[in-house]
Amino acid sequence: MREYAEKIRERARKLLAEGKVEVFIGYRKGSVAMMNQPVLIRHADEAGLLHWDSNCGLNLCNYLTKRTEKIGIVATGCNSRNIVTHIIENQIKREQLYIIGIPCTGMIDHRAVTRAVGQKEILEVEDQGEEFTVKGRGSARASRRRIFCRGTV
């Protein structure tokens, strides 16, 4: 997924620098483990904030409604269907959008992980591809990853 993060940054930087979009909607690393945050950037030099991993589960389409500027946005298959709904319902115009499509290999459901490992507070998650390690207060527990697009582990 790291290669996608760099491609997103490069594309956003270029789109903003060339004036093809006025704002780019993506994700940035969250301050809480397993919870990345939506971010809207307006300048090419802010592209370094953009991030992509299996914790980018929030629907960015919610940030499209009633916007008037040219917008770049990161979208998985599920998100792209939601974008189509926004267009059909006249919440946004297709001409305003530059969509960066990312294949979805699934997102981690942080609630399910919290229940599975018995931690009230997850402090850190190390992603190793097919597996990830969850660290809480005084413990570390590895989990076999089974991810579904709907966000369950």
Side-chain angles (χ1 to χ4, degrees):
M1 288 207 188
R2 290 184 186 140
E3 65 274 5
Y4 292 127
E6 190 53 42
K7 288 179 182 180
I8 291 167
R9 287 183 206 111
E10 288 172 20
R11 179 58 79 183
R13 190 175 292 115
K14 185 175 180 180
L15 290 170
L16 287 162
E18 293 175 353
K20 291 184 178 178
V21 300
E22 298 166 77
V23 64
F24 191 89
I25 304 172
Y27 298 94
R28 72 175 168 192
K29 189 82 172 146
S31 58
V32 175
M34 299 181 71
M35 299 182 78
N36 292 332
Q37 303 171 321
V39 64
L40 281 71
I41 61 171
R42 296 187 179 277
H43 305 285
D45 59 351
E46 296 174 317
L49 291 173
L50 295 169
H51 182 74
W52 180 261
D53 66 15
S54 55
N55 296 301
C56 295
L58 291 174
N59 188 349
L60 296 180
C61 300
N62 296 326
Y63 297 90
L64 291 175
T65 306
K66 307 287 186 201
R67 298 192 80 88
T68 57
E69 66 264 69
K70 295 182 286 182
I71 304 164
I73 187 168
V74 175
T76 62
C78 293
N79 299 139
S80 64
R81 288 188 290 278
N82 196 266
I83 290 171
V84 170
T85 301
H86 276 68
I87 293 168
I88 290 169
E89 294 177 352
N90 295 316
Q91 299 295 316
I92 192 83
K93 293 180 179 156
R94 175 60 183 105
E95 307 79 56
Q96 290 175 256
L97 299 175
Y98 193 102
I99 303 166
I100 309 265
I102 300 293
C104 183
T105 57
M107 297 296 154
I108 296 175
D109 182 337
H110 71 278
R111 289 182 210 121
V113 171
T114 302
R115 285 190 306 269
V117 299
Q119 289 290 326
K120 290 185 179 179
E121 182 181 16
I122 294 173
L123 301 176
E124 184 181 346
V125 176
E126 292 178 19
D127 194 341
Q128 298 104 14
E130 288 298 313
E131 295 184 355
F132 59 95
T133 304
V134 177
K135 294 181 181 179
R137 296 205 187 278
S139 69
R141 186 165 177 186
S143 289
R144 184 90 178 130
R145 187 187 291 183
R146 290 189 318 195
I147 304 172
F148 302 94
C149 197
R150 288 271 179 211
T152 57
V153 174

